[in-house]
């Protein structure tokens, strides 16, 4: 597998490192590691100490934690071009969640020492990092409000729209994604059986179609209408 160059990376202009100089990117490139993860493989574990941060080059990742009842709750979906593990690194605290590959995933790893040196020496990168933290915090607060206020049917519609907005690079009319019902129920925050029941309703209404683990969104407009009923 070819190690992508930081200076020519397709995500350079939209990543946390967009305000790095060419020399800084060359230095990161010389000192990073390029890792490949199989579907279902853990990238980092909840409760472990962070050794660095990860830049997803290809694939899909879920960030999840276990509740007091032992059930998994997906708190974030990560796509290619996104950065992982920076919050715990900044806080110098243990990971509060785990990152798991939803399909075969490639990611670059930058050590804590290299990242901290960059933050200390580049004010623009440090500022971009603060904005990223603020956005993630806001998204998390919105999700908690929706989980508390919306019924399951509305939350499922919103979860399907979230999958589309996160992973539909081509902005296609009909978007398909393979995702287990367990993972989908963890995003929605309900039992797998409940997700299966409402998916069947959406299928009967012509909103989605399913084939095995694959879900195809046929009517995103209807999902938006359903998800907004309690807004």
């Amino acid at each position: 597998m070819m190690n992508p160059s930081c200076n020519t990376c397709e995500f350079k202009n939209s990543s946390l490192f967009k305000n790095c100089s060419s020399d800084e990117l060359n230095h990161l490139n010389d000192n990073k590691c390029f890792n490949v993860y199989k579907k279902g493989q853990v990238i980092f574990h909840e409760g472990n100490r962070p050794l660095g941060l990860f830049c997803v080059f290809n694939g899909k990742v879920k960030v999840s934690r276990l509740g007091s009842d032992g059930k998994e709750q997906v708190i974030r979906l990560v796509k290619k071009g996104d950065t992982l593990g920076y919050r715990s690194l900044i806080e110098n605290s243990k990971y509060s969640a785990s990152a798991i590959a939803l399909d075969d995933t490639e990611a670059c790893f930058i050590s804590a020492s290299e990242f901290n040196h960059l933050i200390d020496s580049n004010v623009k990168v440090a500022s971009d990092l603060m904005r990223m933290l603020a956005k993630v915090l806001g998204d998390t607060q919105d999700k908690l409000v929706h989980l508390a206020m919306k019924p399951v049917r509305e939350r499922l519609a919103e979860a399907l729209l979230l999958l589309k907005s996160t992973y539909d690079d081509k902005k296609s009319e009909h978007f398909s994604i393979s995702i287990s019902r367990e993972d989908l129920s963890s995003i929605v925050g309900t039992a797998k059986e409940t997700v299966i029941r409402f998916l069947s309703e959406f299928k009967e209404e012509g909103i989605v179609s399913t084939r095995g683990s694959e879900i195809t969104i046929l009517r995103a407009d209807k999902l938006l209408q359903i998800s907004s009923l309690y807004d």
Side-chain angles (χ1 to χ4, degrees), residues 1-18:
M1 188 68 64
M2 184 178 293
N3 189 339
S5 168
C6 294
N7 252 312
T8 59
C9 178
E10 62 181 294
F11 308 112
K12 182 181 73 171
N13 294 328
S14 59
S15 75
L16 176 61
F17 306 103
K18 61 181 177 289

Side-chain angles (χ1 to χ4, degrees), residues 52-67:
L53 82 162
F54 302 82
C55 299
V56 179
F57 182 71
N58 193 31
K60 304 179 183 70
V61 179
K62 65 177 178 178
V63 179
S64 63
R65 65 176 62 170
L66 292 178

